Amino acid sequence: MSRCLSDRAIDHVVLDRGEVANSWRNERWDSLRLLTPNWQSRLPGYHYDGDDPDGFMTMSEVIAFISNYAKFVSAPVHTNVAVTSVRQNGEGYQVLTDEGAWNCRALVLASGAFSIAHVPRFADAVPAGITTITPKEYRNPGQLEPGGVLVVGASATGLQLADEIHRSGRAVTLAVGEHVRLPRVYRGRDIQWWMHVCGVLDERYDEVDDIVRARNVPSPQLVGTPERISMDLNALTDIGVKLVGKFAGINGSKAQFSGSLRNVCALADLKMCRLLDTIDEWATEMGMDGECEAPHRFAPTEVEDAPALEIDLSRGEIKTILWATGFRPDYSWLDVPVLDRRGGIRHDGGIVRAPGLYVLGLNFLRRRKSSFIHGAEDDARDLSTHLACYVGQGSTRAPH
Amino acid sequence: MTATTIQTQVDNGVNVEALLGAREALTEAPEGAKFTWRAKCKWVNGTHSNSTVQGFFGLGEEQQHKTEFTFDADHPEIFASEDNGATPVEYVLVGLASCLTAGVAAVAQHRNIQLRSVTATLEGGMDLQGILGIDSDVRNGFDGIKVTYDIDADASRDDIKALVAQSQKRSAVFDIVTNPTNVTVEVK
């Protein structure tokens, strides 16, 4: 966004509560790599130019990438400035920080969708003696005491952590609700490449049937590894991880799991097949069938006959519960009445219902790719056009 | 070929526009979405009881079914009962089956799939050692429920599977059966 504003000569500052790339430095686990291949790491006017376009960046590489970009675009970043409140102030906003106040005509909220680790309502009912941890605090399995671990949530985070924790010798049970299954590689190409070329990632928020549902779709089961492995429930079952249904509640000392495991797996398998059908149709239409491997399908998700419906947490089998149950943005400092009753921000493709206020980087904000690094470019261009019109420096028409 | 022409061809007897309208209205006014369903049950004799449903609460006010519906429940003769009605656990299967089947029709209509026939066959396994108190490790209820759908429709096998999967995802009774529910029973 800063680059797009500079291109339009709009005077601005970027406030970061820590160093540049703060959350990548301080809030990620050690083994994490990006889920998107290097060729996809691009920001306005800038892209990965190393020798491994199909690889996946480690956290230190991501930090370097973003820090180099900040230097490349000479972003006017003020680091270690924490915003404490934002309120409307005449024609603009007053931003209070621990380093003083700023007044601005327009404000872009780019603090991300992953600020708070969400935990279920019944998390408080976990019996004493069980340690609970969220992915924000988790770094590596060595942090956890020996013994069984219940990983709750089967998106990318839950699967990756279930895998490394189980391999560390701590028996993992994985509670699986609705999830999105994707192979890493299909017909010899990265799934992100397919979704990019056939236009899935560019699908716009005003083109999909049900944007509320699309924005709530969990992150896909993907992992970035040098071996380009696919991380799915079958891979975890193969190493001995035990699958149970969605964590439904706690009754006394008993953790209760939904009996819907078979259906959530069927939903994910069917949805993956529909995506692969779309890809196959596109490849045939484009005459690409000769250039890539033949279409094929993946084994359906294996579910045992009678998955456990409860685990007695007082029996010592489970020592730790890891809540991989999603993230939420943090708007606790936003004193502008733009939140819905569930605490989400009301916006139309990033244009918030308060003049001059914008939001970036949320799931499916303007496009399916909006929450990815490479999704920022198109969104920032669109929103900076609107912003420029609003502050009276625009020559082009704003997107609605 | 437009969506409108497809929609006029497909008729499963479900008014999708009304359902989508209700969804939109209740998103704006979530208080109206709070419903209370009720049943009354009177003991007749032995294991025979007679239940009725008529009134319920929803859209902010009391509502009525067109008529009062009645249900006799009993146990079969091999339990030394008179078999005046289905067993209560069979009513659970009926509830699950009818909820999932209504969902299949609604989802099919929404996805422009014409149904020709839909038949669900349900089985719930139960070990009577639970309710008879013979073995405390055996639960009283079903040890599992198996639902088998036989569907004839203008759609691929995967599309039909997706109908059935989506119906489970949106089903109230599927949720009631698969997830724990707090039950409070009081005596007046």
Side-chain angles (χ1 to χ4, degrees), chain A residues 117-133:
Chain A
H118 173 76
V119 298
R121 258 180 239 146
F122 52 82
D124 290 344
V126 172
I130 306 264
T131 310
T132 61
I133 187 170

Side-chain angles (χ1 to χ4, degrees), chain A residues 178 210 213 248 256-260 263 267 270 274 309 341, chain B residues 23 27 30 139 158 161-162 165-166 168-169 174 178-180:
Chain A
E178 263 191 77
D210 185 342
R213 193 187 328 177
Q256 300 176 309
F257 306 103
S258 174
S260 61
N263 190 49
L267 280 162
L270 287 161
R274 287 198 293 275
L309 295 169
R341 68 199 155 84
Chain B
R23 189 181 161 200
T27 307
R139 71 182 285 183
D158 270 0
K161 282 185 175 178
Q166 183 65 17
Q168 290 168 74
K169 184 176 153 179
F174 183 85
T178 55
N179 291 309

Side-chain angles (χ1 to χ4, degrees), chain B residues 104-123:
Chain B
V104 166
V107 177
Q109 184 73 47
H110 187 47
R111 294 185 180 178
N112 288 315
I113 295 173
Q114 180 64 54
L115 299 173
R116 283 186 288 273
S117 75
V118 179
T119 311
T121 308
L122 284 87
E123 276 183 2

Side-chain angles (χ1 to χ4, degrees), chain B residues 148-170:
Chain B
T148 310
Y149 267 101
D150 185 0
I151 295 178
D152 181 16
D154 281 332
S156 70
R157 190 171 157 71
D158 270 0
D159 284 345
I160 290 173
K161 282 185 175 178
L163 277 185
V164 174
Q166 183 65 17
S167 164
Q168 290 168 74
K169 184 176 153 179
R170 287 273 166 262

